[in-house]
Amino acid sequence: DKESIAASYINIGLIYRDQGNFQKALNNYFTALKIFKELRDKRNIAGSFNNIGAVYDDQGKYDEALKNYFMALKIQQEIGDKHSIANSYENIGLIYMYQDIYQDALMYLFKSLKIKEEIGNNQGIAVTYNNLGNAYRLQKNYSAASQYLRKGLLIAKENGNIQDIKFNYLSLATLD
């Protein structure tokens, strides 16, 4: 049952990532990727690239993270997986934000927001509003930052998501 074996490698990789053991996480993700490629399982191939990108993101290896996020995105677009496309846009936007490339960050975050609105992903919309607010805050556009953070907070409260409410309040507290 190769599919279950590959899924187990992903789960093991997630644990190693949570523990900060990035090399072992990557080893497991690459093993899973190889199996998913053998199975021609595009959805999980894309998911594997996304997981690999996240590990590089955690390490601040942004070029490698972007490379993997874009590989995931390409496959997600081929199979029409809107939920995953939105998440990849978000991940790419955040990498650009970390690199102070705000124009690209905002472009990808807004692409993510548009899809999340289309598919009715309210929890995702709250997260994206928070990320947009932080991108504007980093550019010292406090008016726009406040606007998006407050929208995110409102949706997070409607959703009852304590974690998103906390993140929005924390972001609002950092406005100068």
Side-chain angles (χ1 to χ4, degrees):
D1 184 2
K2 286 187 175 188
E3 187 174 347
S4 294
I5 292 169
S8 294
Y9 279 114
I10 293 290
N11 290 332
I12 294 167
L14 289 168
I15 293 167
Y16 279 126
R17 179 179 172 216
D18 286 345
Q19 294 175 339
N21 190 333
F22 300 125
Q23 191 54 55
K24 285 190 176 181
L26 285 172
N27 290 344
N28 281 277
Y29 290 153
F30 279 116
T31 301
L33 175 62
K34 181 180 177 192
I35 295 169
F36 287 133
K37 283 182 175 180
E38 288 172 11
L39 297 172
R40 294 187 172 106
D41 182 342
K42 288 187 175 188
R43 183 174 307 280
N44 282 311
I45 292 169
S48 295
F49 280 128
N50 186 64
N51 288 330
I52 292 165
V55 173
Y56 287 127
D57 182 351
D58 291 344
Q59 298 177 88
K61 296 179 179 179
Y62 298 134
D63 290 341
E64 284 298 312
L66 279 175
K67 181 177 100 175
N68 282 278
Y69 286 151
F70 276 115
M71 289 168 68
L73 177 62
K74 181 180 178 195
I75 295 167
Q76 292 157 350
Q77 289 171 328
E78 286 174 12
I79 62 176
D81 183 354
K82 286 188 174 189
H83 179 81
S84 296
I85 291 168
N87 288 337
S88 287
Y89 282 151
E90 188 101 14
N91 291 336
I92 292 165
L94 289 172
I95 295 291
Y96 284 130
M97 186 172 77
Y98 302 151
Q99 295 177 314
D100 301 329
I101 307 171
Y102 298 115
Q103 184 174 353
D104 288 347
L106 290 170
M107 179 183 70
Y108 280 99
L109 290 172
F110 278 115
K111 284 182 174 190
S112 176
L113 179 63
K114 181 180 178 189
I115 293 172
K116 288 176 181 180
E117 289 173 340
E118 286 174 9
I119 63 176
N121 180 352
N122 285 337
Q123 196 274 333
I125 291 168
V127 170
T128 303
Y129 277 145
N130 184 274
N131 288 327
L132 284 163
N134 284 318
Y136 281 116
R137 177 183 54 81
L138 291 169
Q139 295 177 82
K140 301 188 184 330
N141 183 342
Y142 301 119
S143 174
S146 177
Q147 174 189 354
Y148 284 103
L149 292 172
R150 289 180 193 287
K151 283 182 177 182
L153 178 60
L154 180 67
I155 294 172
K157 285 181 176 180
E158 289 171 0
N159 294 338
N161 188 315
I162 302 298
Q163 196 72 3
D164 289 343
I165 293 168
K166 179 182 96 171
F167 286 131
N168 275 279
Y169 273 127
L170 286 170
S171 296
L172 279 164
T174 64
L175 291 179
D176 291 338

